[in-house]
């Protein structure tokens, strides 16, 4: 299976290929449970800033209905799976434009820092605003990352912020942000960040014959740099922005721990990444009846993967280079027919190429056209939305007859919301969505593995939920917000890797039918104990029954799919007093199984972690300082998110931020 996507990417596809996950939502709102028509969850502002999280992946763990696959701490690959629909069904958007990976469909959320992030929002289905690109309609769930837009106080033309983070695993993480006001209509931003960590930590492990041993996680060294530049402009009745992004990293990939002989294999796999993109967007209201949105992007991604059996006898020799390019254009047109009725017509074009120094590689090119028509009705207490997405895919290869056939698909969605009482903030909502994901270029064309005859993988989602919010007086509890959603998902034509004539040679096939039933609960409360003492508390809980109904003759027909717990949840409590802030967070993942065979041999024990952080803000020499100390995994629990990939025990981090 290692051949399909290489190392951790391969493992991600292997484990996700037997799971189905639907995406919860992260909304760019304040630190609240959001009552949009579509189920959505968000972390932003103070709540996001205080969270003991290293990356976007760490923050998303606190949302209901989400599973993060983490292959070993700081340097490991991190992917998101929502409501068990699968990693490739999650669209990841950066400032409103989707990040692409036509090669394997996986976005490593571990490489996105929270340093310049203002909000992370998770949507099930799609965003409930119809004025969006056709690509926004094309995923079963979406994660939206929103970065900072410069704001200036009167008379000030520059903002400068410097941050230094350091702590366990030899981690050093400096960053700097400079924002400049060019004139009243144009602002600029430059952000740079460097990360170094040894990724080395001790863990306890039980050997097969029953006694415990202590080992050190090896080959987790990471060195990376991120550079971003942005321009933000205002025009009459509109705005535009442009961003350039560059990320480079060199990392070791910690391998799986062998239970019989911990430490036997050194796991010397290495990966080098260079990711570059340039994107821009334009939005303008031309009249009260017509608005236009344009998006454009060029991306160039390079990956070098090295696995040398002379250093690690557990692996075969791999020294491959991959280069992807993507060109993307989008136009969305919003027509306001009546005050309560709007129509959006959107068209997108995407061009992808993949080059690799694999034997007999066919060098595929993919041309994708998307067209979406969406309509929205808003009658005060009743809201209704519907959309139809058309997708056309054409592919070519340098080898005649090697390209997959054209795909032409139409997929609908319907969203409904009703407010029963005019004077109460209670809303009932429901949505239906059918969508598919194309086989990746690896699925179709990876040498000896790919299968050009693959069909798309379809998901059908049903959701019914309720949101409630209430402001209270004459009590310490000032506000409570709650959302509860029950859902039922189906995944058909699941793409999985299967052995052919022997265990060495595998191929990709359409095999699998999964049903997912679940319940997501999220509660946000705000308390005021005294005039300057406030507490924000957030709770999320998920129940999920995700069953594999692929093979009726199997003894394990209807078994819970791998790595999906029946119960999971999180708690965040954030007390503040004047300039002091304390943040406590707790994450729990219930027991799971590592295979569809739900038998004792595949039982995977539950895990939980407690994290604490303490912050103090102060004004020194007219400059704002913030000092933070974090202790993560306070109880030093030894746990694994993925079997044989141990996670760090107790670790600390210290942060100093100065704003000029």
């Amino acid at each position: 299976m290692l051949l399909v996507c290489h190392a951790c990417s391969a493992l991600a596809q292997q484990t996700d290929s037997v799971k189905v996950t639907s995406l919860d939502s992260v909304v760019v709102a304040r630190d609240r449970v959001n009552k949009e028509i579509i189920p959505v969850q968000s972390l932003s502002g103070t709540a996001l800033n205080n969270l003991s999280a290293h990356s976007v992946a760490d923050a998303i763990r606190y949302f209901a209905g989400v599973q993060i696959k983490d292959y070993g701490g700081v340097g490991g690959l991190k992917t998101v799976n929502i409501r068990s629909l699968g990693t490739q069904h999650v669209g990841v958007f950066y400032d409103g434009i989707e990040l692409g990976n036509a090669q394997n469909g996986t976005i490593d959320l571990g490489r996105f820092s929270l340093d310049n992030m203002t909000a992370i929002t998770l949507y099930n289905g799609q965003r409930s605003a119809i004025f969006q690109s056709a690509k926004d309609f094309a995923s079963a769930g979406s994660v939206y990352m929103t970065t900072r837009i410069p704001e200036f106080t009167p008379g000030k033309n520059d903002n400068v912020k410097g941050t230094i983070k350091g702590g366990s695993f030899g981690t050093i993480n400096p960053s700097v942000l400079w924002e400049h006001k060019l004139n009243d209509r144009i602002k600029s931003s430059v952000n740079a960040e460097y990360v170094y960590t040894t990724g080395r930590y001790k863990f306890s492990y039980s050997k097969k014959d029953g006694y415990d041993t202590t080992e050190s996680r090896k080959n987790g060294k990471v060195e990376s740099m991120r550079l971003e530049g942005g321009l933000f402009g205002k025009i009459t009745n509109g705005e535009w922005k442009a961003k350039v992004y560059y990320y480079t990293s060199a990392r070791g990939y910690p391998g799986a721990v062998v239970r019989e002989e911990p430490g036997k294999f050194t796991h010397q796999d290495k990966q080098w990444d260079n990711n570059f993109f340039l994107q821009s967007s334009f939005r303008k209201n031309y009249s009260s009846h017509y608005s236009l949105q344009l998006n454009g992007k060029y991306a160039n991604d390079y990956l070098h993967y090295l696995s040398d059996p002379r250093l690690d006898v557990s692996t075969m020799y791999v020294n491959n280079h991959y280069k992807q390019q993507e060109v993307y254009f989008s136009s969305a047109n919003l027509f306001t027919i009546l005050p309560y009725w709007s129509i959006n017509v959107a068209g997108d074009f995407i061009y992808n190429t993949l080059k690799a120094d694999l034997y007999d590689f066919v060098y595929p090119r993919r041309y994708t056209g998307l067209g979406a028509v969406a309509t929205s009705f808003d009658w005060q207490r009743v809201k209704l939305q519907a959309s139809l997405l058309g997708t056309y895919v054409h592919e070519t290869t340098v080898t005649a007859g090697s390209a997959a056939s054209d795909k032409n698909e139409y997929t609908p969605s319907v969203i409904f919301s009703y407010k029963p009482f005019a004077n109460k903030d209670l809303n009932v909502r429901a949505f239906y969505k059918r969508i598919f994901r194309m086989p990746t270029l690896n699925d179709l064309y990876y040498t000896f593995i790919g299968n050009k005859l693959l069909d798309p993988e379809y998901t059908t989602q049903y959701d019914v939920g309720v949101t409630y919010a209430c402001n209270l007086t004459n009590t310490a509890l000032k506000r409570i917000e709650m959302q509860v959603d029950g859902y039922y998902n189906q995944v058909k034509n699941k793409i999985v890797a299967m052995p052919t004539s022997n265990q060495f040679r595998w191929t990709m096939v359409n095999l699998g039918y999964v049903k997912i039933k679940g319940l997501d609960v999220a509660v946000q409360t705000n308390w005021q104990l005294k005039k300057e003492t406030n507490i924000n508390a957030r709770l999320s809980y998920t129940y999920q029954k995700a069953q594999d109904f692929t093979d009726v003759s199997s003894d394990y027909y209807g078994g819970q799919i791998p790595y999906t717990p029946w119960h999971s949840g999180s708690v965040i409590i954030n007390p503040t007093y004047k300039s002091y802030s304390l943040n406590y967070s707790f994450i729990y993942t219930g027991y799971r199984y590592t295979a569809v065979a739900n038998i004792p041999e595949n039982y995977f024990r539950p895990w939980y972690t407690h994290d604490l952080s303490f912050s103090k803000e102060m004004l020194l020499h007219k400059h704002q300082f913030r000092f933070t100390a974090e202790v993560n995994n306070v109880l030093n629990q030894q746990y694994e998110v993925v079997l044989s990939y141990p996670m760090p025990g107790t670790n600390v981090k210290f942060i100093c931020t100065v704003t000029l």
Side-chain angles (χ1 to χ4, degrees):
M1 188 56 197
L2 183 62
L3 294 176
V4 178
C5 300
H6 282 317
C8 291
S9 296
L11 287 167
Q13 276 198 316
Q14 182 177 3
T15 52
D16 283 334
S17 67
V18 286
K19 291 185 225 174
V20 183
T21 302
S22 122
L23 291 168
D24 258 16
S25 316
V26 181
V27 175
V28 180
R30 293 187 293 174
D31 318 330
R32 294 185 168 186
V33 174
N34 198 296
K35 61 176 186 296
E36 292 198 28
I37 305 177
I38 280 284
V40 57
Q41 298 174 72
S42 180
L43 282 169
S44 61
T46 303
L48 187 61
N49 193 41
N50 289 335
L51 208 58
S52 298
H54 298 273
S55 68
V56 170
D58 295 328
I60 290 176
R61 296 184 305 166
Y62 294 95
F63 293 125
V66 173
Q67 295 111 30
I68 294 293
K69 301 297 293 298
D70 193 324
Y71 294 84
V74 179
L77 176 72
K78 295 174 176 60
T79 61
V80 60
N81 183 20
I82 299 173
R83 291 185 175 177
S84 297
L85 294 176
T87 295
Q88 285 91 356
H89 285 282
V90 178
V92 180
F93 291 77
Y94 199 80
D95 283 338
I97 299 179
E98 186 172 18
L99 299 168
N101 187 343
Q103 180 184 357
N104 59 38
T106 300
I107 302 296
D108 181 6
L109 293 175
R111 71 180 177 91
F112 293 99
S113 167
L114 295 178
D115 182 65
N116 194 35
M117 209 70 62
T118 60
I120 303 172
T121 307
L122 176 66
Y123 290 90
N124 292 105
Q126 63 200 39
R127 286 196 296 177
S128 55
I130 66 165
F131 189 27
Q132 55 191 10
S133 68
K135 202 74 176 70
D136 290 72
F137 296 94
S139 300
S142 306
V143 173
Y144 284 81
M145 298 180 286
T146 304
T147 59
R148 176 179 170 128
I149 296 178
E151 296 291 342
F152 300 92
T153 57
K156 191 175 183 181
N157 292 326
D158 292 278
N159 295 325
V160 179
K161 184 179 78 169
T163 302
I164 181 74
K165 305 175 185 177
S168 300
F169 325 129
T171 301
I172 183 72
N173 178 199
S175 63
V176 62
L177 171 69
W178 174 42
E179 298 172 338
H180 179 62
K181 183 178 180 181
L182 298 172
N183 55 49
D184 289 340
R185 287 182 170 266
I186 302 177
K187 306 169 186 177
S188 66
S189 174
V190 177
N191 183 222
E193 181 180 27
Y194 171 80
V195 177
Y196 172 85
T197 179
T198 65
R200 190 179 182 91
Y201 52 87
K202 293 185 180 299
F203 62 94
S204 298
Y205 211 73
S206 297
K207 293 188 70 173
K208 191 174 183 180
D209 52 13
Y211 69 88
D212 290 346
T213 186
T214 299
E215 286 291 331
S216 293
R217 196 74 168 124
K218 299 178 178 66
N219 198 37
K221 178 181 175 181
V222 177
E223 188 172 12
S224 67
M225 178 173 287
R226 174 181 57 86
L227 301 171
E228 291 187 55
L231 286 175
F232 309 84
K234 293 183 179 180
I235 58 177
T236 303
N237 297 323
E239 61 183 8
W240 60 268
K241 58 185 175 182
K243 172 159 287 190
V244 59
Y245 175 100
Y246 176 72
Y247 174 86
T248 182
S249 72
R251 69 178 68 196
Y253 266 135
V257 173
V258 180
R259 183 176 298 275
E260 288 80 1
E261 300 182 74
K264 177 179 179 180
F265 301 128
T266 55
H267 304 297
Q268 294 295 317
D269 296 15
K270 304 289 184 183
Q271 181 169 310
W272 294 264
D273 292 276
N274 289 308
N275 306 104
F276 168 85
F277 66 76
L278 173 66
Q279 68 181 40
S280 63
S281 61
F282 168 90
R283 181 180 292 207
K284 181 177 174 63
N285 301 323
Y286 284 93
S287 71
S288 59
H289 296 286
Y290 175 68
S291 299
L292 172 67
Q293 175 182 282
L294 300 174
N295 291 327
K297 178 180 179 180
Y298 168 75
N300 189 311
D301 297 319
Y302 167 80
L303 182 152
H304 174 203
Y305 188 84
L306 174 64
S307 176
D308 192 340
R310 293 171 297 181
L311 301 175
D312 184 353
V313 297
S314 67
T315 187
M316 62 183 293
Y317 182 75
V318 176
N319 186 13
N320 289 336
H321 303 74
Y322 304 88
K323 184 177 181 180
Q324 293 187 72
Q325 295 189 80
E326 178 176 291
V327 177
Y328 170 72
F329 294 104
S330 170
S331 172
N333 304 267
L334 181 68
F335 302 90
T336 303
I337 310 301
L338 296 169
Y340 57 85
W341 180 26
S342 299
I343 296 176
N344 178 49
V345 179
D348 294 10
F349 171 77
I350 309 167
Y351 170 66
N352 296 99
T353 66
L354 175 62
K355 297 180 180 180
D357 52 0
L358 299 173
Y359 175 76
D360 208 21
F361 194 59
V362 298
Y363 297 92
R365 297 172 181 261
R366 173 175 287 180
Y367 304 82
T368 305
L370 301 116
V373 178
T375 186
S376 172
F377 297 90
D378 188 346
W379 297 290
Q380 295 182 344
R381 289 158 57 183
V382 177
K383 296 180 181 180
L384 178 65
Q385 295 180 8
S387 64
L388 180 66
L389 173 68
T391 305
Y392 174 75
V393 180
H394 172 72
E395 294 171 354
T396 63
T397 58
V398 296
T399 304
S402 297
S405 60
D406 293 350
K407 302 292 190 300
N408 195 2
E409 304 284 346
Y410 294 91
T411 47
S413 66
V414 179
I415 306 166
F416 169 81
S417 175
Y418 173 59
K419 185 177 181 180
F421 309 105
N423 59 347
K424 292 187 181 295
D425 198 355
L426 175 70
N427 293 269
V428 179
R429 64 189 180 192
F431 80 83
Y432 157 82
K433 181 169 184 175
R434 179 169 169 80
I435 197 64
F436 72 98
R437 71 105 170 166
M438 278 292 296
T440 67
L441 297 182
N442 272 1
D443 293 337
L444 295 167
Y445 303 113
Y446 199 98
T447 305
F448 304 130
I449 303 294
N451 178 5
K452 71 174 185 178
L453 301 179
L454 286 174
D455 291 323
E457 187 177 288
Y458 289 91
T459 70
T460 305
Q461 299 169 264
Y462 304 89
D463 183 288
V464 177
V466 61
T467 68
Y468 176 73
C470 180
N471 292 317
L472 303 171
T473 58
N474 302 319
T475 178
L477 177 60
K478 297 301 180 184
R479 182 171 176 84
I480 182 170
E481 301 180 24
M482 179 173 61
Q483 64 178 11
V484 179
D485 283 273
Y487 53 88
Y488 172 66
N489 300 329
Q490 294 175 296
V491 179
K492 298 180 180 179
N493 285 346
K494 192 71 178 173
I495 299 171
V496 298
M498 296 289 290
T500 55
S501 57
N502 57 59
Q503 289 294 323
F504 178 76
R505 178 166 292 187
W506 293 55
T507 190
M508 310 305 295
V509 298
N510 288 112
L511 179 67
Y513 175 51
V514 179
K515 294 180 181 180
I516 304 119
K517 301 173 184 176
L519 178 72
D520 289 346
V521 179
V523 180
Q524 173 77 39
T525 60
N526 304 102
W527 305 72
Q528 186 173 30
L529 305 184
K530 294 183 180 180
K531 184 177 181 181
E532 295 182 284
T533 303
N534 299 286
I535 299 177
N536 293 322
R538 181 188 183 99
L539 177 147
S540 69
Y541 166 77
T542 295
Y543 169 78
Q544 195 169 116
K545 188 175 183 179
Q547 297 172 278
D548 185 348
F549 292 102
T550 298
D551 185 1
V552 178
S553 63
S554 171
D555 292 338
Y556 310 111
Y557 179 76
Q560 186 86 342
I561 62 177
Y563 288 102
T564 299
W566 279 264
H567 304 278
S568 60
S570 68
V571 175
I572 301 173
I573 302 175
N574 176 216
T576 59
Y577 173 69
K578 295 185 178 179
S579 60
Y580 297 93
S581 177
L582 179 68
N583 196 85
Y584 164 76
S585 57
F586 169 79
I587 292 178
Y588 171 80
T589 296
Y591 74 90
R592 301 155 287 160
Y593 290 93
T594 59
V596 175
N598 295 172
I599 57 179
E601 290 80 0
N602 296 324
Y603 175 84
F604 206 16
R605 67 179 185 179
W607 63 268
Y608 56 87
T609 59
H610 302 267
D611 301 327
L612 284 172
S613 69
F614 176 77
S615 300
K616 164 67 175 174
E617 293 185 355
M618 61 181 66
L619 193 64
L620 296 175
H621 304 292
K622 298 183 179 180
H623 301 313
Q624 189 73 34
F625 285 79
R626 179 184 173 93
F627 300 95
T628 303
E630 295 181 1
V631 182
N632 301 311
N633 196 357
V634 175
L635 300 183
N636 196 34
Q637 189 190 33
Q638 303 297 298
Y639 71 101
E640 299 168 357
V641 178
V642 177
L643 181 65
S644 299
Y645 286 81
M647 299 296 290
T650 301
N651 60 92
V652 299
K653 184 167 63 173
F654 302 96
I655 306 170
C656 176
T657 301
V658 57
T659 304
L660 307 180

